[in-house]
């Protein structure tokens, strides 16, 4: 999409908080996991649609550091869904030029899931059509604390002076190192919160909220949201230009 009349144009990086799977299932009297399964189908469709909409980076929130508080059945079901998605989609994603990465603290994840994650990261590392980042056991504050600890260790070892710590030094310790900041963050299901998703990286992102529950979200709705984004004027703290 061309950048017209001072508008923001197409967002290069879209991040999505996929919310509402549980409510979607409850409305139908089904177990929550059915909603998550339907949500995974939506992930596939949205991933496939992104490149033609000019989106080069897509980051999705699949499991937060707080989601461990859910029932064991739901947590185990979600972990199984992530593993199945990686196994089943690996060939398709590779063929379609998708590079897949993960952010979040992997140390608490099952070793088999961690192996699948590293495997697909390596297998798709040369792909360039779409960069898909999936946040699993991710919390923004947790990510910043881990980055701060890394810097503290460097200082304690005498390899870094405290005054050398700047935005770039901290960002270099985040899970998203090397990735551009999101231009647009979308949250589904009508909740108006950012819920610890990319707090550092989304400091200047635009936000869009939709009442649609994630299992009902479609590439068509994404297209409409991107059209609204294209008309926005982004200022990054500067003065109004029109
Ligand atoms: C939020 O809905 C959704 C999640 C915590 C899980 C997101 C996972 C998926 C969309 C499934 C598959 C993902 C991949 C990458 C294959 P909720 O359960 O909080 O819904 P509620 O607020 O209505 O209860």
């Amino acid at each position: 999409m061309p950048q017209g009349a001072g508008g923001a144009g197409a967002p290069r990086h879209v991040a999505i908080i996929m919310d509402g799977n549980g409510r979607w299932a409850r409305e139908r009297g089904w177990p929550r996991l059915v909603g998550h399964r339907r949500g995974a189908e939506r992930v596939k469709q949205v991933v496939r649609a992104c490149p033609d909409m000019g989106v080069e980076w897509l980051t999705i929130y699949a499991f937060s550091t707080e989601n461990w508080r859910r029932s064991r059945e739901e947590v185990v079901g979600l972990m199984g869904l992530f593993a199945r998605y990686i196994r089943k989609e690996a060939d398709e994603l590779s063929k379609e030029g998708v590079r897949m990465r993960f952010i979040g603290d992997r140390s608490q994840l099952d070793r088999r899931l961690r192996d699948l994650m590293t495997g697909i990261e390596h297998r798709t590392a040369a792909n360039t059509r779409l960069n898909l980042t999936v946040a699993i056991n991710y919390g923004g504050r947790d990510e910043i604390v881990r980055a701060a600890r890394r810097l503290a260790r460097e200082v304690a070892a005498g390899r870094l002076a405290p005054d050398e710590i700047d935005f770039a030094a901290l960002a270099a310790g985040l899970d998203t190192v090397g990735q551009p900041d999101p231009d647009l963050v979308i949250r589904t299901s009508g909740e108006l919160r950012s819920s610890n998703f990319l707090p550092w990286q989304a400091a200047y992102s635009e936000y869009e909220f939709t009442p649609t529950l994630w299992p009902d979200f479609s590439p068509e709705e994404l297209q409409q949201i991107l059209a609204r984004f294209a008309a926005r004027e982004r200022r990054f703290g500067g003065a109004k230009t029109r």
Side-chain angles (χ1 to χ4, degrees):
M1 210 178 292
Q3 187 160 333
R12 186 173 171 228
H13 184 174
V14 174
I16 307 183
I17 303 173
M18 309 179 290
D19 198 7
N21 296 350
R23 271 162 288 169
W24 184 91
R26 198 178 56 220
E27 280 173 7
R28 290 157 177 82
W30 293 339
R32 297 175 59 83
L33 263 178
V34 178
H36 294 316
R37 254 181 244 135
R38 176 65 176 253
E41 291 300 318
R42 291 307 186 184
V43 169
K44 281 188 214 166
Q45 292 175 347
V46 167
V47 165
R48 233 138 260 167
C50 274
D52 289 339
M53 295 184 194
V55 175
E56 295 168 41
W57 294 79
L58 176 68
T59 301
I60 54 177
Y61 207 178
F63 194 91
S64 77
T65 45
E66 284 69 44
N67 285 154
W68 296 106
R69 293 192 213 125
R70 298 190 174 200
S71 74
R72 190 179 144 70
E73 184 192 3
E74 186 171 351
V75 169
V76 170
L78 276 168
M79 294 298 160
L81 201 55
F82 302 147
R84 263 200 308 284
Y85 179 87
I86 297 171
R87 271 196 217 101
K88 273 180 57 190
E89 286 296 290
D91 287 342
E92 210 55 40
L93 292 174
S94 302
K95 246 191 277 158
E96 290 175 7
V98 178
R99 176 171 186 178
M100 195 169 182
R101 296 181 176 92
F102 297 90
I103 54 172
D105 181 359
R106 299 180 195 202
S107 64
Q108 290 164 52
L109 302 178
D110 180 85
R111 198 179 57 79
R112 275 165 304 184
L113 178 58
R114 285 200 321 247
D115 289 347
L116 281 170
M117 289 159 65
T118 330
I120 197 160
E121 282 179 332
H122 286 140
R123 184 162 167 204
T124 62
N127 292 348
T128 54
R129 193 153 181 262
L130 177 72
N131 291 280
L132 170 64
T133 303
V134 183
I136 297 183
N137 193 25
Y138 175 85
R141 287 181 171 180
D142 175 70
E143 181 191 32
I144 292 168
V145 165
R146 285 187 282 114
R149 283 193 192 132
R150 242 171 252 146
L151 290 174
R153 280 194 287 269
E154 290 298 298
V155 171
R159 289 191 290 265
L160 185 72
D163 287 345
E164 284 172 336
I165 297 176
D166 54 12
F167 291 164
L170 199 131
L174 297 175
D175 300 342
T176 51
V177 58
Q179 308 185 21
D181 288 341
D183 301 294
L184 172 66
V185 180
I186 300 169
R187 182 173 191 149
T188 59
S189 92
E191 307 288 346
L192 308 178
R193 292 186 294 280
S194 59
S195 294
N196 207 11
F197 187 44
L198 306 172
W200 174 279
Q201 299 86 341
Y204 286 98
S205 302
E206 301 287 321
Y207 277 80
E208 278 275 346
F209 298 95
T210 167
T212 305
L213 303 176
W214 176 253
D216 288 330
F217 192 80
S218 62
E220 291 71 33
E221 182 167 4
L222 177 60
Q223 184 75 74
Q224 288 159 13
I225 289 173
L226 299 194
R228 282 203 294 279
F229 173 89
R232 289 191 188 196
E233 184 196 0
R234 299 185 75 193
R235 301 220 296 273
F236 300 98
K240 219 168 164 32
T241 56
R242 60 183 164 123

